[in-house]
Amino acid sequence: MQLRTTVSGTTTVLSNNASGNIAVTGFKSYSLLKVQTNVAAWVTLYTDANSRASDYTRLEDEDPLNGSGVVAEVITSGAQTQLMTPAVFGFNNDSTPGSNIYLKVVNKSGSSNTITVTLTLLQLE
């Protein structure tokens, strides 16, 4: 039986509307149940660092392309928890699959902040 777990990562100080990349240690594959932020943010999860780099210039109101490596994204309006309903399947797509979960985080808080993102996961692999 697999248990739910939380993993977190924190950006450096980001100016309003600036983005930062972080990787959190999760699992090779997982079910994403919740995404929590400590301030307003746009958070995107990716299968690998190359997919994150390729998606870097996509605007907030643009949908990601199919097969682009985007696992999920949420936009929060403050310190919020976004439920993923239905839960989202995610996985690491590095050449040797590992436990990194790659995130891009955009500060939407209105002022400079560090942003902590907490993911609630169910390990699949």
Side-chain angles (χ1 to χ4, degrees):
M1 176 172 73
Q2 301 296 343
L3 300 177
R4 292 181 189 191
T5 189
T6 58
V7 297
S8 298
T10 302
T11 67
T12 59
V13 175
L14 299 175
S15 301
N16 189 52
N17 290 320
S19 64
N21 293 334
I22 57 176
V24 297
T25 302
F27 308 107
K28 291 180 182 180
S29 62
Y30 56 90
S31 184
L32 176 65
L33 307 176
K34 300 177 192 177
V35 178
Q36 179 181 9
T37 62
N38 65 321
V39 297
W42 172 26
V43 179
T44 309
L45 286 74
Y46 299 92
T47 57
D48 52 69
N50 289 335
S51 295
R52 180 176 61 191
S54 295
D55 189 59
Y56 193 76
T57 59
R58 183 173 55 88
L59 301 176
E60 184 177 322
D61 61 351
E62 289 180 60
D63 287 335
L65 296 174
N66 290 336
S68 64
V70 173
V71 172
E73 62 184 348
V74 300
I75 300 172
T76 61
S77 58
Q80 269 183 311
T81 300
Q82 178 67 52
L83 296 176
M84 305 306 291
T85 51
V88 175
F89 175 77
F91 62 96
N92 176 284
N93 194 45
D94 290 338
S95 57
T96 301
S99 58
N100 280 340
I101 301 172
Y102 299 93
L103 289 83
K104 178 182 76 176
V105 182
V106 179
N107 180 2
K108 306 297 286 178
S109 71
S111 61
S112 294
N113 274 296
T114 59
I115 301 173
T116 299
V117 178
T118 302
L119 307 175
T120 301
L121 307 171
L122 179 66
Q123 181 179 0
L124 301 177
E125 174 187 27

